[in-house]
Amino acid sequence: MSIQGYTWKFGDNIDTDAIMPAKYLNISDSSQLAMHCMEGIDPSFANKVSHGDIIVAGKNFGCGSSREHAPLSIKKLGISAIIAYSFARIFYRNAFNMGLPIIECSEAFDKIQENDQVAIDLENGIITNQTQNESYKFPAFPEFMRSLLQADGLLSYIRQQVRANV
């Protein structure tokens, strides 16, 4: 699995209220929800993102409440992955359940700048910053986590497993 895109950079402690403000949690259409992604930090973010872009963030990305709306809105907006120094634990799991690849790599956070072009090799654990001609290593995902991502999330993965065993 390989991902490629341009980066958007954010700092530390980006909480789920900033990613998806609570006033939008009653929206059931995920495409409409995506239009409010990161609105707590940059109200125009959803209008500036291109499909395939990558978020790069600091420590504790996704802290706060455990709302699944946060990773869902990021994914539905077209963000292809998130690279962060670290993630809040519940956000980490929710992102994989939604089929959104997230990578912890402090070196990448320290060196990647906004609008750098980045390629991510999920199978081998390599982030290549094509703009700066540098590479950063991260622990490759275990087989099961790659399976969740390839299936586009936990629910799709379960449906595939049920069909395979019928």
Side-chain angles (χ1 to χ4, degrees):
M1 276 181 88
S2 183
I3 296 169
Q4 188 167 324
Y6 290 93
T7 58
W8 294 90
K9 193 156 183 184
F10 297 95
D12 295 339
N13 300 310
I14 303 299
D15 68 21
T16 54
D17 283 328
I19 298 168
M20 180 45 55
K23 64 184 176 182
Y24 301 115
L25 297 180
N26 61 347
I27 296 174
S28 58
D29 180 334
S30 59
S31 297
Q32 286 182 359
L33 195 66
M35 295 314 300
H36 301 286
C37 181
M38 303 302 276
E39 191 171 294
I41 297 171
D42 178 356
S44 63
F45 180 74
N47 294 321
K48 297 186 286 188
V49 168
S50 295
H51 187 81
D53 283 354
I54 297 167
I55 289 176
V56 178
K59 295 177 184 173
N60 206 26
F61 186 86
C63 58
S65 64
S66 64
R67 62 183 67 150
E68 294 174 339
H69 299 73
L72 177 62
S73 68
I74 291 169
K75 182 178 177 184
K76 290 298 181 178
L77 186 58
I79 296 293
S80 60
I82 305 172
I83 301 166
Y85 190 98
S86 65
F87 291 93
R89 183 177 153 170
I90 192 70
F91 183 90
Y92 187 91
R93 190 61 210 183
N94 282 340
F96 273 96
N97 286 347
M98 295 293 158
L100 176 65
I102 60 175
I103 297 129
E104 288 186 336
C105 183
S106 59
E107 182 183 17
F109 170 72
D110 290 340
K111 294 186 176 183
I112 292 173
Q113 300 300 311
E114 186 155 315
N115 208 35
D116 280 356
Q117 187 170 9
V118 171
I120 305 168
D121 181 341
L122 295 175
E123 192 168 338
N124 294 305
I126 301 169
I127 300 166
T128 303
N129 185 332
Q130 297 168 327
T131 302
Q132 298 183 34
N133 198 28
E134 297 179 337
S135 293
Y136 325 108
K137 293 282 293 168
F138 65 93
F141 294 138
E143 173 77 30
F144 175 69
M145 300 299 260
R146 286 195 317 268
S147 296
L148 285 180
L149 295 174
Q150 288 171 337
D152 200 31
L154 181 61
L155 291 178
S156 297
Y157 175 82
I158 291 170
R159 284 187 200 106
Q160 289 174 8
Q161 297 303 310
V162 168
R163 282 188 217 124
N165 293 315
V166 172

